[in-house]
């Protein structure tokens, strides 16, 4: 019997790509998602790519404890991957209570259900934003954390909660993955990032400019202490992130307790470098204007991926050109996202 994995937030951007990866490697997948920023159609696409049945989907809020318990009762869940969270940095500044309630409350509800049902393996989605204004790059997992907004603080709080739970609950193993900037799409063009409304993140915004749905890109600041003054990030292909989760499942039992790993490539790219890579990969022009810095932004966040490379004998393999090509492929084939 294949192992059953509960993917919480499995209809979303990273979750859906991870479902493909798991199904293609013989796992049974059960999805819980409230569909607040995702579409159930993503799971139909997942099934098409993986050539399997559509994964079981429970549309619910994980803070609904009795409904969550029912899911654990109904399936022989061996491990959980927890993607479900609100994730817009700017929005979090204006809605701190909602962010803590959803992200922290969701995680405590999930961990309670896991404890109640004897499930002891969890892969948790954290974020490089916990590092805040990094004094140096690349960042190792031992560098200090200093969240600068409620979204990042909510992730850091979850990390602390999970650390305490692992100390207390015998046999509880958590892999805490701090993602850098996941972008791109499945190379089929069937699955990708389909944010509701106008995108806030660079790659989906740029894809819409390339397509003409948005007129011009705004480059938020060119006076950072970086290679060309624009913000530097470690963009990582979503298929590498998905693969990373599948590999993480195999390493959950390597060591007891809570372990933290960066999930990035180790390569930093500025906004202008990403624009140039996108233009090269797609043949499209990206008109842009340089504007003021975006509040809450930091100059540079780049992963040192050495720890994960060593621990799992695994590394990311897709470059910036593939990220741009695949993001554009999805965008150009799905003009209205999954609504098509
Ligand atoms: N950025 C930009 N224009 C946009 C969106 C983002 O110049 O329309 C910049 C942003 O200032 C940062 C980088 O692109 O330096 C990545 O931002 P994104 O929102 O994609 O991810 P974040 O690193 O904030 O999570």
């Amino acid at each position: 019997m294949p192992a059953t994995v509960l993917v919480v937030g499995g209809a979303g951007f990273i979750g859906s790509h991870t479902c493909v990866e798991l199904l293609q490697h013989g796992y049974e997948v059960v999805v819980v998602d409230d569909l607040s920023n995702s579409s159930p159609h993503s799971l139909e696409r997942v099934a098409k790519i993986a050539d399997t049945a559509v994964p079981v989907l429970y549309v619910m809020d994980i803070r609904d404890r009795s409904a969550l318990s029912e899911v654990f009762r109904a399936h022989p869940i061996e491990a959980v991957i927890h993607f479900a969270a609100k994730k817009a940095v700017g929005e979090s500044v204006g809605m701190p209570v909602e962010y803590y309630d959803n992200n922290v409350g969701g995680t405590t509800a999930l961990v309670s259900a896991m404890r109640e049902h004897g499930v002891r393996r969890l892969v948790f989605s954290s974020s490089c934003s916990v590092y805040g204004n990094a004094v140096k790059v690349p960042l190792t997992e031992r560098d200090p954390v200093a969240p600068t907004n409620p979204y990042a603080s909510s992730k850091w709080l979850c990390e602390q909660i999970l650390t305490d739970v692992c100390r207390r609950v015998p046999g509880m193993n958590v892999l805490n993955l701090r993602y850098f900037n996941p972008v791109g799409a499945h190379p089929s063009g069937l699955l990708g990032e389909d944010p509701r409304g106008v995108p806030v993140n660079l790659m989906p915004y740029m894809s819409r400019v390339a397509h003409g749905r948005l007129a011009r890109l705004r480059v938020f600041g060119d006076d950072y202490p970086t290679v060309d003054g624009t913000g530097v990030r470690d963009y990582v292909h979503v298929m590498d992130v998905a693969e990373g989760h599948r590999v993480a499942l195999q390493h959950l039992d390597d060591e007891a307790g809570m372990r933290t790993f960066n999930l990035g490539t180790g390569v930093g790219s500025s906004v202008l470098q990403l624009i140039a890579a996108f233009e090269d990969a797609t043949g499209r022009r990206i008109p842009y204007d340089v504007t003021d810095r975006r509040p809450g932004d930091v100059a540079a966040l780049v992963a040192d991926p050495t720890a994960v490379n060593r621990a799992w004998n695994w590394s990311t393999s897709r470059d910036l050109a593939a990220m741009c090509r695949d993001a554009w492929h999805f965008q150009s084939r799905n003009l209205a996202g999954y609504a098509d």
Side-chain angles (χ1 to χ4, degrees):
M1 282 283 286
T4 301
V5 179
L6 175 64
V7 184
V8 183
F13 175 44
I14 307 175
S16 58
H17 289 78
T18 301
C19 287
V20 169
E21 181 73 14
L22 298 183
L23 290 168
Q24 286 180 329
H25 286 80
Y27 289 95
E28 292 279 356
V29 169
V30 175
V31 173
V32 165
D33 202 301
D34 70 358
L35 303 182
S36 59
N37 191 31
S38 58
S39 159
H41 297 308
S42 66
L43 294 177
E44 293 159 14
R45 307 275 183 101
V46 163
K48 193 166 174 185
I49 296 168
D51 195 19
T52 60
V54 179
V56 181
L57 166 66
Y58 292 88
V59 181
M60 52 169 275
D61 187 321
I62 48 172
R63 290 168 295 177
D64 179 344
R65 289 178 184 234
S66 63
L68 189 57
S69 245
E70 278 305 313
V71 176
F72 277 90
R73 254 193 286 280
H75 302 275
I77 293 162
E78 294 191 4
V80 179
I81 305 182
H82 178 26
F83 292 109
K86 288 180 161 297
K87 61 170 186 178
V89 169
E91 183 185 66
S92 79
V93 176
M95 304 169 64
V97 177
E98 287 80 359
Y99 267 69
Y100 289 116
D101 197 1
N102 187 79
N103 295 2
V104 180
T107 300
T108 52
L110 179 62
V111 171
S112 300
M114 288 177 64
R115 200 176 46 180
E116 187 185 326
H117 295 275
V119 178
R120 298 277 187 266
R121 297 193 190 95
L122 173 67
V123 181
F124 179 71
S125 302
S126 189
S127 160
C128 65
S129 64
V130 299
Y131 295 114
N133 273 302
V135 284
K136 62 130 183 94
V137 291
L139 289 148
T140 76
E141 294 80 355
R142 289 177 306 283
D143 280 315
V145 298
T148 57
N149 56 67
Y151 163 70
S153 296
S154 74
K155 288 291 176 185
W156 172 233
L157 277 169
C158 290
E159 291 193 7
Q160 291 171 281
I161 291 165
L162 293 171
T163 302
D164 290 342
V165 171
C166 284
R167 285 193 185 123
R168 181 77 199 150
V169 180
M172 183 85 182
N173 290 356
V174 176
L175 277 172
N176 175 44
L177 305 183
R178 291 181 179 157
Y179 314 147
F180 281 67
N181 286 55
V183 295
H186 191 272
S188 63
L190 286 170
L191 205 57
E193 189 167 11
D194 182 25
R196 296 242 165 117
V198 179
V200 291
N201 297 114
L202 181 57
M203 184 68 100
Y205 198 102
M206 196 156 64
S207 302
R208 291 196 190 182
V209 171
H211 191 259
R213 284 173 70 193
L214 292 167
R216 298 173 78 79
L217 179 71
R218 283 169 304 158
V219 174
F220 296 139
D222 65 354
D223 56 351
Y224 286 106
T226 60
V227 57
D228 55 22
T230 65
V232 166
R233 297 290 182 274
D234 184 338
Y235 297 96
V236 50
H237 198 296
V238 67
M239 291 309 300
D240 276 327
V241 178
E243 193 181 293
H245 284 78
R246 198 246 313 153
V247 176
L249 286 178
Q250 295 161 2
H251 289 278
L252 264 170
D253 294 333
D254 286 358
E255 270 177 59
M258 166 96 164
R259 280 159 302 147
T260 295
F261 289 111
N262 288 335
L263 206 51
T265 65
V267 178
S269 306
S270 73
V271 177
L272 296 183
Q273 287 169 337
L274 189 65
I275 293 173
F278 192 94
E279 291 184 336
D280 277 355
T282 66
R284 294 275 165 155
R285 285 262 306 110
I286 306 292
Y288 67 84
D289 303 301
V290 175
T291 66
D292 288 345
R293 292 182 179 191
R294 185 171 63 177
D297 267 355
V298 299
L301 285 169
V302 180
D304 178 339
T306 309
V308 92
N309 299 164
R310 286 205 182 126
W312 303 349
N313 193 24
W314 175 84
S315 58
T316 59
S317 59
R318 291 140 176 113
D319 64 10
L320 207 55
M323 299 179 214
C324 295
R325 200 176 48 239
D326 292 338
W328 172 240
H329 190 203
F330 175 74
Q331 177 66 55
S332 52
R333 284 188 53 165
N334 301 271
L335 303 183
Y338 293 123
D340 281 358

